[in-house]
């Protein structure tokens, strides 16, 4: 599916550039995007290494087990086939709790680890398991309790009440998450 | 809130010390694993950045917006935020750039400004997350992940208007 979306994006862009006469801009972007993605990766590299290291300490010292215990009643129903003390379930709880606290950067390494561990439990190598679908869908919805980035931006552009949007954000993200999980669960019921 | 991350890291380290694990050795082991993870997701990220850069520089995003605007108008969607709705699932930095320019043009406390704020706070970069997580383990058949995730984005877009009308 991603194959088609990605090629669609590229083809549409090139067609549009040709029709609108933006070919110069397109060529520049083509050359620059390599550089900008390496820049992004370098930025990520530092964060990934740091948080993977911290996560390893959390794992070996039993900190993740404590967090998992705290959040598992909430997450258990979504992953009925995972054992409560499995490494995959622990990574998932760490990822979700980091997301809720707004530690997006810290959440990513946990999430990638969780996918790796879910993959070892998966009996089909190239197909997503039910757990993977639920987990990735949760990560595409916003779980963050305090939308700090948005509030900071609002404030810097002169908003009188930067946090005024917080209740709408909660309701809106709760609805989005519920909708996505409902769809995911309904499709999960169907045979793989 | 800026302080949450260091506090979190600090708690983990102290917890490790209390449990008497070799904190620094383990940190090094984990950091190495982080490097490997990055190595696995690097191609995916480069591919996505490339596609999004093309989409913006070619003007394709504006063309798509022109198509969607009448429908948005019909649904009571402020037309200023249409580009953001479309770009949000693909690019985090791209949609943040649109958000700031919208704040500049309309002000953060205007209706469009508030809807855009709620939308930014209640959705994530869907394609990015899907491509990164599945790309890291080389799973190709992602089944209904994208459908469910895009429904979340759509719900967030609709709800951001309804909630702003209702609460502010």
């Amino acid at each position: 599916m991603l194959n088609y979306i990605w090629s669609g994006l590229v083809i549409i862009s090139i067609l549009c550039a040709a029709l609108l006469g933006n070919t110069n801009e397109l060529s520049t972007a083509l050359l620059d995007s390599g550089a900008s993605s390496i820049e992004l990766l370098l930025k990520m590299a530092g964060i990934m290494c740091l948080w993977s290291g911290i996560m390893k300490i959390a794992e070996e010292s039993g900190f993740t087990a404590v967090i998992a215990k705290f959040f598992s009643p909430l997450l258990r129903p979504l992953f009925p086939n995972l054992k409560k003390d499995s490494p995959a379930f622990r990574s998932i709880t760490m990822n979700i709790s980091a997301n809720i606290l707004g530690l997006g950067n810290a959440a990513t390494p946990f999430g990638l680890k969780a996918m790796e561990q879910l993959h070892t439990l998966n009996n089909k190598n190239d197909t997503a398991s039910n757990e993977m679908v639920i987990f990735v869908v949760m990560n595409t919805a916003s779980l963050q309790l305090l939308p700090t980035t948005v509030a900071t931006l609002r404030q810097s552009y002169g908003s009188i009440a930067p946090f005024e949007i917080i209740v709408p954000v909660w309701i809106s993200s709760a609805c989005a998450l519920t909708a996505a999980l409902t769809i995911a669960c309904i499709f999960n019921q169907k045979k793989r | 809130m800026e302080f949450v991350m260091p506090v979190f890291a600090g708690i983990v380290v102290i917890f490790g010390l209390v449990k008497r694990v070799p904190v620094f050795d383990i940190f090094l082991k984990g950091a190495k694993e982080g490097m490997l993870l990055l190595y696995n997701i690097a191609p995916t990220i480069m591919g996505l950045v490339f596609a999004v850069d093309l989409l913006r520089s070619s003007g394709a995003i504006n063309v798509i917006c022109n198509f969607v605007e009448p429908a948005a108008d019909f649904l009571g969607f402020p037309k200023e935020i249409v580009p953001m709705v479309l770009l949000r699932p693909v690019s985090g930095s791209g949609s943040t750039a649109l958000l700031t320019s919208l704040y500049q043009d309309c002000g953060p406390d205007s209706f469009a400004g508030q809807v855009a704020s709620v939308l930014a706070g209640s959705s994530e970069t869907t394609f990015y997350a899907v491509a990164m997580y599945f790309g890291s383990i080389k799973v190709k058949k992602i089944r209904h992940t994208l459908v469910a995730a895009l429904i979340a984005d759509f719900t967030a877009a609709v709800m951001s208007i309804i909630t702003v009308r209702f609460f502010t």
Side-chain angles (χ1 to χ4, degrees), chain B residues 85-160:
Chain B
V85 174
L86 294 178
L87 206 59
R88 178 75 187 148
V90 216
S91 161
S93 55
S95 62
T96 308
L98 289 177
L99 184 67
T100 51
S101 74
L102 197 144
Y103 284 163
Q104 216 153 33
D105 297 343
C106 313
D109 293 319
S110 65
F111 180 65
Q114 283 186 324
V115 173
S117 312
V118 176
L119 182 68
S122 59
S123 59
E124 279 284 336
T125 42
T126 301
F127 283 101
Y128 186 77
V130 170
M132 180 178 69
Y133 281 129
F134 283 115
S136 73
I137 51 169
K138 298 185 178 65
V139 162
K140 298 253 160 53
K141 293 176 189 144
I142 60 169
R143 297 162 74 215
H144 46 276
T145 311
L146 210 50
V147 179
L150 287 177
I151 284 174
D153 288 337
F154 182 73
T155 314
V158 174
M159 285 310 292
S160 57

Side-chain angles (χ1 to χ4, degrees), chain A residues 93-109:
Chain A
T93 46
M94 284 305 280
N95 167 274
I96 303 290
S97 19
N99 267 323
I100 291 173
L101 292 174
L103 310 171
N105 291 332
T108 309

Side-chain angles (χ1 to χ4, degrees), chain A:
Chain A
M1 197 164 190
L2 285 168
N3 285 330
Y4 296 115
I5 293 175
W6 188 80
S7 20
L9 289 178
V10 173
I11 294 167
I12 290 173
S13 306
I14 293 173
L15 280 178
C16 280
L19 292 173
L20 299 172
N22 288 339
T23 39
N24 267 340
E25 287 88 336
L26 190 78
S27 317
T28 325
L30 224 126
L31 294 173
D32 286 350
S33 87
S36 61
S37 57
I38 291 290
E39 212 168 286
L40 177 69
L41 281 169
L42 276 180
K43 235 183 249 166
M44 279 181 78
I47 297 163
M48 290 282 292
C49 287
L50 172 71
W51 283 102
S52 297
I54 298 285
M55 175 178 79
K56 197 82 187 164
I57 299 174
E59 217 172 81
E60 305 237 332
S61 63
F63 187 76
T64 44
V66 176
I67 298 278
K69 214 173 198 170
F70 186 73
F71 276 101
S72 68
L74 273 167
L75 293 168
R76 278 311 292 155
L78 291 170
F79 302 96
N81 295 328
L82 289 183
K83 288 205 185 70
K84 205 169 159 181
D85 48 4
S86 64
F89 188 66
R90 274 191 203 166
S91 298
I92 290 174
T93 46
M94 284 305 280
N95 167 274
I96 303 290
S97 19
N99 267 323
I100 291 173
L101 292 174
L103 310 171
N105 291 332
T108 309
F110 291 121
L112 289 165
K113 199 82 202 163
M115 287 302 275
E116 205 180 294
Q117 287 153 342
L118 284 175
H119 201 48
T120 60
L121 304 173
N122 192 5
N123 45 18
K124 282 183 187 168
N125 237 333
D126 63 336
T127 314
S129 66
N130 284 353
E131 287 77 24
M132 289 179 192
V133 175
I134 299 272
F135 175 67
V136 173
V137 164
M138 286 185 85
N139 264 282
T140 64
S142 173
L143 306 165
Q144 197 177 350
L145 219 50
L146 293 173
T148 41
T149 318
V150 178
T152 319
L153 275 177
R154 283 170 63 80
Q155 191 171 30
S156 62
Y157 280 88
S159 166
I160 6 167
F163 269 104
E164 197 188 12
I165 47 135
I166 196 157
V167 174
V169 166
W170 284 339
I171 297 172
S172 174
S173 13
C175 289
L177 185 65
T178 317
L181 284 178
T182 313
I183 300 287
C185 286
I186 290 172
F187 277 109
N188 271 352
Q189 298 289 315
K190 290 187 184 167
K191 226 175 75 191
R192 295 175 62 171

Side-chain angles (χ1 to χ4, degrees), chain B residues 4 7 12 14 39 42 48 63-64 67 84 96 100 107 113 131 133 159:
Chain B
V4 177
V7 167
V12 170
I14 292 167
Y39 175 77
L48 274 181
V63 174
I64 299 170
F67 273 111
M84 209 188 120
T96 308
T100 51
Y133 281 129
M159 285 310 292

